[in-house]
């Protein structure tokens, strides 16, 4: 890894300088955190699965005309992406009540929302990513009016597309989080979808059993995290039949071999 410069290390990914100006390499770690990193752990093989799942989703989104940072997957744990200026807002899209919405408003998890809900959170770990309104975003200049219009529009398109994609494989898309970035063409700035889309930032419930196939397995100590992520990848057609967890468990294999 010493051959390139590390730009940033986040909770689940490391960013390296890409091979050409304006590009970045996203390395997907097996590290998992929850509750603003108060809970930490590793899910062996998660990075490999998220890299693959995110590649798949971003590629399909690009096909339907959603501009994204994704360029191509490089290997099991890395993808090449377009460098962008991350807008410091986590965009949460909800179809069904769960998680913090359920807690905040006292509505039972699993309640279908009458319409899709979009929420914004200010990306600041030290503050615990507080929920903010469009008024705060405009007031503090985190994003412009037009940018917010584009963000909401893209969030709805991503939700429509992904709800269908997951429904087709027996999965209910409960909610998910998106991040957007700015790219510049001279003076002109444009918003593109950035970060990743994977079971780390989505709630995915099996339509028949209600089983959770996402990071809530880790957050809520349910166990079977990697099997759940693998099941999502398998249903999306991304895993050859019969590939088991050991094959994906590269990081612990490497550690065992002392590398
Ligand atoms: P929440 O119910 O905890 O607010 O989460 C809503 C969705 O956003 C859920 O799918 C998980 C995702 N999410 C993240 O990806 N990162 C975060 O830091 C948080 C709080 C939620
Ligand atoms: N990833 C976030 C954290 O650890 C929270 C979460 O996904 O639940 O802060």
């Amino acid at each position: 890894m010493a051959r390139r410069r590390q730009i940033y290390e986040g909770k689940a990914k490391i960013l390296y300088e890409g091979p050409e100006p304006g590009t970045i390499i996203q390395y997907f770690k097996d590290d998992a955190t929850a509750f603003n990193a108060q809970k930490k752990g590793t899910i062996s093989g998660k990075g490999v699965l998220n890299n693959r799942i995110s590649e798949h989703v971003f590629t399909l989104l690009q096909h339907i005309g959603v501009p994204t940072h994704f360029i191509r997957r490089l290997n099991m744990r890395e993808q090449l992406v377009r460098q962008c200026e991350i807008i410091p807002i986590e965009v949460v899209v909800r179809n069904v009540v769960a998680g913090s919405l359920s807690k905040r408003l006292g509505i039972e998890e699993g309640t279908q929302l009458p319409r899709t809900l979009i929420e914004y959170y200010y990306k600041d770990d030290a503050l615990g990513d507080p929920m903010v309104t469009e008024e705060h975003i405009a007031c503090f200049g985190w994003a412009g009016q037009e940018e917010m219009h584009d963000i909401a529009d893209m969030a709805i398109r991503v939700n429509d597309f992904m709800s269908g994609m997951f429904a087709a494989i027996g999965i209910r898309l409960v909610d998910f989080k998106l991040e957007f970035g700015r790219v510049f063409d001279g003076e002109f700035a444009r918003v593109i979808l950035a970060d990743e889309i994977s079971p780390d930032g989505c709630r995915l419930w099996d339509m028949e059993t209600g089983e959770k196939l996402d990071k809530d397995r880790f957050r809520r100590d349910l166990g079977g995290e990697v099997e759940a992520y693998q099941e999502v990848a398998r249903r999306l057609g991304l895993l050859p039949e019969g590939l088991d967890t050991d094959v994906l468990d590269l990081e612990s294999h490497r550690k065992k071999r002392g590398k």
Side-chain angles (χ1 to χ4, degrees):
M1 289 295 145
R3 60 205 159 87
R4 55 192 180 212
R5 198 168 67 84
Q6 183 175 314
I7 295 172
Y8 177 79
E9 176 155 11
K11 294 189 288 265
K13 293 189 289 297
I14 305 175
L15 302 183
Y16 297 99
E17 210 168 59
E20 291 128 41
T23 63
I24 297 262
I25 294 168
Q26 281 200 146
Y27 175 94
F28 287 74
K29 300 193 280 185
D30 284 346
D31 296 348
T33 63
F35 316 117
N36 206 19
Q38 287 176 55
K39 180 180 163 89
K40 287 184 184 160
T42 45
I43 303 174
S44 291
K46 172 174 84 80
V48 175
L49 289 161
N50 282 358
N51 186 24
R52 192 72 188 82
I53 293 169
S54 200
E55 171 199 17
H56 181 72
V57 178
F58 273 72
T59 303
L60 293 175
L61 288 172
Q62 251 158 359
H63 287 162
I64 61 153
V66 176
T68 84
H69 72 159
F70 183 79
I71 301 173
R72 66 175 181 278
R73 188 166 62 86
L74 298 171
N75 55 51
M76 297 277 271
R77 284 187 184 272
E78 294 175 331
Q79 50 181 244
L80 187 67
V81 301
R82 190 161 172 195
Q83 185 166 26
C84 61
E85 187 179 281
I86 290 289
I87 294 171
I89 305 292
E90 300 201 345
V91 179
V92 169
V93 182
R94 301 181 187 269
N95 299 304
V96 178
V97 175
S100 70
L101 178 64
S102 162
K103 280 218 185 83
R104 199 182 321 122
L105 300 182
I107 307 170
E108 199 186 342
E109 278 210 318
T111 308
Q112 181 73 40
L113 287 163
R115 45 168 285 178
T116 300
L117 199 57
I118 304 186
E119 295 173 343
Y120 304 106
Y121 294 83
Y122 180 52
K123 229 174 114 62
D124 186 318
D125 279 343
L127 298 175
D129 297 344
M131 184 157 86
V132 293
T133 67
E134 284 185 75
E135 285 288 299
H136 296 92
I137 296 168
C139 181
F140 296 108
W142 295 321
Q145 299 285 358
E146 254 183 63
E147 287 179 329
M148 287 311 291
H149 179 275
D150 291 348
I151 285 172
D153 186 64
M154 281 191 256
I156 294 297
R157 284 163 72 199
V158 172
N159 184 50
D160 288 347
F161 177 78
M162 288 216 299
S163 294
M165 178 187 78
F166 282 119
I169 53 171
I171 292 174
R172 190 175 185 197
L173 179 62
V174 171
D175 57 30
F176 59 95
K177 186 259 302 183
L178 299 175
E179 291 188 30
F180 294 87
R182 234 173 243 128
V183 285
F184 295 90
D185 296 321
E187 292 281 283
F188 188 72
R190 207 158 52 83
V191 176
I192 62 174
L193 184 65
D195 192 48
E196 69 178 277
I197 296 180
S198 72
D200 266 12
C202 300
R203 283 198 174 90
L204 305 170
W205 295 354
D206 182 275
M207 275 180 164
E208 267 178 22
T209 65
E211 195 190 354
K212 296 184 197 320
L213 301 172
D214 57 62
K215 204 166 92 174
D216 270 350
R217 301 210 70 85
F218 170 77
R219 294 190 190 96
R220 302 179 186 194
D221 294 317
L222 300 173
E225 292 92 340
V226 84
E227 291 79 3
Y229 283 52
Q230 242 181 302
E231 179 61 14
V232 174
R234 193 191 61 77
R235 290 195 202 179
L236 287 170
L238 306 176
L239 279 191
E241 293 296 331
L243 187 69
D244 67 33
T245 320
D246 282 353
V247 180
L248 296 163
D249 190 357
L250 300 174
E251 224 157 65
S252 62
H253 277 302
R254 230 182 275 130
K255 277 179 198 146
K256 274 185 223 147
R257 284 190 275 122
K259 284 185 187 168

